[in-house]
Amino acid sequence: MSATIYRLVTEALTNARRHAPGAERVEVEVARAGGSAVRVRVTDDGGGRSEASGRGGFGLAERVSVLGGSLSAGPAPGGWRVEAVLPSGGTR
């Protein structure tokens, strides 16, 4: 699971750099969600617009799904948010 968390964070940071060039702040949070899950949240203050062309990105969603988790990405107040919840018992 740690490899998936690392990959989620690096991909979200890369996307913030590419698609939110005006962002002044990016926050990364990795925390327990309840007793049996880990939440990974990356938010930026880049205005909540996506210039993504629809290419790629499915590998992470599939990986999170295989681990029994969920992944969402979209506008957040003043910016963009990527959030995943993964069961903490995962070993992949």
Side-chain angles (χ1 to χ4, degrees):
M1 177 177 55
S2 61
T4 300
I5 292 170
Y6 174 80
R7 197 61 192 107
L8 282 163
V9 171
T10 57
E11 182 71 18
L13 291 173
T14 298
N15 287 342
R17 186 173 57 94
R18 277 188 194 149
H19 303 299
E24 295 181 8
R25 181 173 41 104
V26 178
E27 295 180 2
V28 176
E29 178 186 357
V30 179
R32 289 244 180 239
S36 61
V38 174
R39 183 183 65 240
V40 179
R41 182 183 297 157
V42 181
T43 57
D44 69 61
D45 64 352
R49 294 176 307 280
S50 174
E51 299 171 12
S53 65
R55 65 185 185 280
F58 295 108
L60 289 177
E62 289 172 353
R63 175 106 172 133
V64 169
S65 179
V66 164
L67 293 174
S70 62
L71 176 70
S72 63
W80 194 263
R81 176 181 323 168
V82 175
E83 185 168 350
V85 178
L86 300 161
S88 61
T91 58
R92 297 179 186 163

